[in-house]
Amino acid sequence: MAKPLPVSPLARPLPDLATIAGVRLSAVAAGIRYQGRTDLMLAEFVPGTVAAGVYTKNACPGAPVLWCREALSTPYARALLVNAGNANVFTGRAGRQACEDCADATAKLLNCPSQDVFLASTGVIGEKLPQDRIIAALPAAKAGLNENGWADAARAIMTTDTFPKAARRDVTIGGTPVRIQGIAKGSGMVAPDMATMLAYVATDAKLPQNVLQSLLASGCAQSFNAITVDSDTSTSDMLMVFATGLADNPEIDDVNDPALAEFTLALNDLLLELALMVVRDGEGATKLVRIAVTGADSNLSAHRIALCIANSPLVKTAIAGEDANWGRVVMAVGKSGEPADRDRLSVAIGGTWIAKDGGVVENYDEAPVVAHMKGQEIEIAVDLGLGDGAARVWTCDLTHGYIDINGSYRS
């Protein structure tokens, strides 16, 4: 970008970050696209670290996504290398070669198999990745590895993000203290399957890959696959969890083990916190919007309806303009293609029911709704009156800032 973007009014400060036993990180400037800032992060994991991941469902994924999917055929990870400024997408054989070159160079530096190196790239699509710059920066990245490199790593992977994103939880498994900590980037091209972003979480918990993968998939469904900024699913989405096993907690071989309950809740909560930071940093966003749908034909139907509301430009611009135009919510429900009955439909904004059973609530007072619309966090509730299906998703408003950012993204 030609000039720094103003920090989102919904930004959250970095929390007090700690160390994760068995994880070291660094951030360096490789000059991939940006000048005067770091754009390459390296994470090193202790031998025996287990990895799990979920990736974009976009049919035109980047070369690093394909690399990581293949690398997950074995459970272990020794390194993670992420660059910002170039997505290495739609680059054909050159993209694959760039992945091989970067993985081989990292593996040589860290003395590990190249398949234990995970890769990610984020930025402009359709331009060849300058892997020579990345490889040239690797010695400095290795030299800078340290246990306290989390904040620097979070900043290095930013593109149009206006603030770094991180979260931490301290819990127990079977009485053994364990820690979970993660970073994320993302602000635009955000829609489920997955919500467009990169997110990396590490824990010192000792867990087998099948359990870790199950936890991640479940947590993602409630967080990163329940947010949208602009309905566009990225080519580069990636969410990974790395478990070093150094906490030496009791053996866990079943995701439903009661000893894992506290950890599961904490992981889900951390993933949701990171996901909501992505929405808070939505390009041009000034309001965080929560949409809850109940009474639907099924949970899946409720999810689809909620996303239809969340992705409606008319709904999002009304929110940006602080206009309590609930008719646009009704429109979005009706166009979703899901079962709906006008005469059973109810709509609320900010906890005030505006419409019930197909009409405006008698003696409806718009004043509290107007006041709610002026806040930074907006809540919309819809009840279909058809069944027990329920879902919630989060989005942001749509302002001219979105156009400003995306219209000049490559300049």
Side-chain angles (χ1 to χ4, degrees), residues 30 125 237 262 310 359 404:
I125 292 172
D237 299 338
E262 184 183 357
D404 295 338

Side-chain angles (χ1 to χ4, degrees), residues 119-187:
L119 305 170
S121 299
T122 179
V124 174
I125 292 172
E127 296 182 3
K128 290 183 179 180
L129 183 71
Q131 66 260 42
D132 290 347
R133 298 180 192 175
I134 294 175
I135 293 169
L138 283 176
K142 180 187 177 184
L145 287 170
N146 69 93
E147 292 183 334
N148 296 303
W150 286 88
D152 290 340
R155 294 185 180 94
I157 63 176
M158 292 166 54
T159 52
T160 57
D161 303 62
T162 68
F163 66 94
K165 304 164 181 67
R168 166 191 167 189
R169 299 290 185 276
D170 291 280
V171 292
T172 62
I173 296 178
T176 301
V178 298
R179 178 170 292 153
I180 316 169
Q181 190 158 276
I183 59 175
K185 68 82 51 187
S187 56

Side-chain angles (χ1 to χ4, degrees), residues 172-178 204-208 211 245-254 257 259-260:
T172 62
I173 296 178
T176 301
V178 298
D204 53 0
K206 180 172 62 178
L207 298 169
V211 170
L246 295 186
D248 200 29
N249 52 272
E251 292 286 343
I252 300 288
D253 57 15
D254 184 348
D257 189 324
L260 201 56

